[in-house]
Every structure is written in C-alpha cells, then in structure tokens.
Amino acid sequence: MSTLILASTSVYRRALLERLRIPFHCLAPHTDESPLAHETPSALAIRLAQAKAQAIANMHPQAWVIGSDQVVDCQGQLLGKPGNHERAVLQLQRMRGQTVIFQTAVSVVCHASGFEQTELAQIKVRFRDLS
C-alpha cells in the first residue's frame, strides 16, 4: 500500500483530508511563500501548491503527496494572511462590497509512478457592504 502525505501543517487541510477516513501523514514542506514580482494570485497559488508537493515528494519518492495553497484575489490584488487583528479588520474593510476570488490550487505528485497533476479552483465570494 502506498503512503499518502499531506504537504502541510494546516489544521484545516488536515481536517478536510481526515473526512476521507484514509491513513495519511502530514509533513511541513518549508516552502518560501513570498510572491514573485508581477505574479498573479492564481499563478502564485499554483506555484506554491506544486512547490509544496515537490518538496515532500523529493524526500519521499514512493509516496503520493498532496500540496495545496489558497490565495485571496481582491480586484486582481493579492491579499496575504493578515497576521493580526488590526490588519484583518483592514482586509475585511477592503473586501466590503467586493467580489473576491479565492484561488485554491491542489497538486498531487508521486515520483515513483511519474504522476503529477495540478488543478486550480476559483471560488467567487461577494462580500456585503457592511459598516
């Protein structure tokens, strides 16, 4: 039986995968998540999902590895993790009344089989214009 590894330490991604009730391991990919100059939010999500999966697959070539990343795209501008309450409030104010796209990429890699596939889901969310 092949090993399945989630290339993430996110408790949310772990919880999603646990719903499938199949055994897996979680490993931190230690990937630099800094955006490149002029990189679009969708390109960033795809690049990071692939980089995370590849980082762990390089260490565990027999395993099936899942890498994922989600980037917030507000009017073509990348919104990173706020990091604190004050910046979270500012981000919510910026998104007020806007349609925001959550760019979510998932990459699955298994070096032993030569399999590699990445998909992008773009989820549009309309934020209410609240005070």
Side-chain angles (χ1 to χ4, degrees):
M1 183 172 168
S2 297
T3 301
L4 178 64
I5 301 174
L6 177 61
S8 176
T9 56
S10 166
V11 295
Y12 304 107
R13 287 194 182 99
R14 175 190 287 258
L16 284 171
L17 195 52
E18 284 174 343
R19 291 180 184 178
L20 296 177
R21 298 178 187 226
I22 56 176
F24 68 96
H25 304 283
C26 288
L27 294 175
H30 303 294
T31 302
D32 180 1
E33 297 189 17
S34 303
L36 302 175
H38 309 292
E39 189 170 34
T40 64
S42 59
L44 175 62
I46 290 168
R47 180 177 60 81
L48 292 179
Q50 291 172 335
K52 291 173 183 181
Q54 287 291 346
I56 299 302
N58 288 341
M59 294 185 291
H60 301 274
Q62 299 296 320
W64 288 84
V65 181
I66 301 170
S68 182
D69 201 81
Q70 185 176 70
V71 175
V72 179
D73 179 346
C74 183
Q75 306 301 307
Q77 297 296 310
L78 166 70
L79 294 184
K81 295 175 183 153
N84 63 41
H85 179 78
E86 181 179 310
R87 287 195 296 247
V89 169
L90 290 173
Q91 278 190 2
L92 287 171
Q93 288 173 337
R94 181 174 178 191
M95 293 185 287
R96 183 173 51 200
Q98 302 291 324
T99 297
V100 175
I101 303 171
F102 289 84
Q103 308 277 3
T104 305
V106 176
S107 185
V108 178
V109 175
C110 179
H111 286 323
S113 71
F115 184 87
E116 181 177 343
Q117 186 168 344
T118 303
E119 297 293 334
L120 178 72
Q122 299 177 317
I123 308 302
K124 293 181 181 179
V125 177
R126 175 81 177 159
F127 281 77
R128 290 185 180 172
D129 192 3
L130 300 174
S131 61

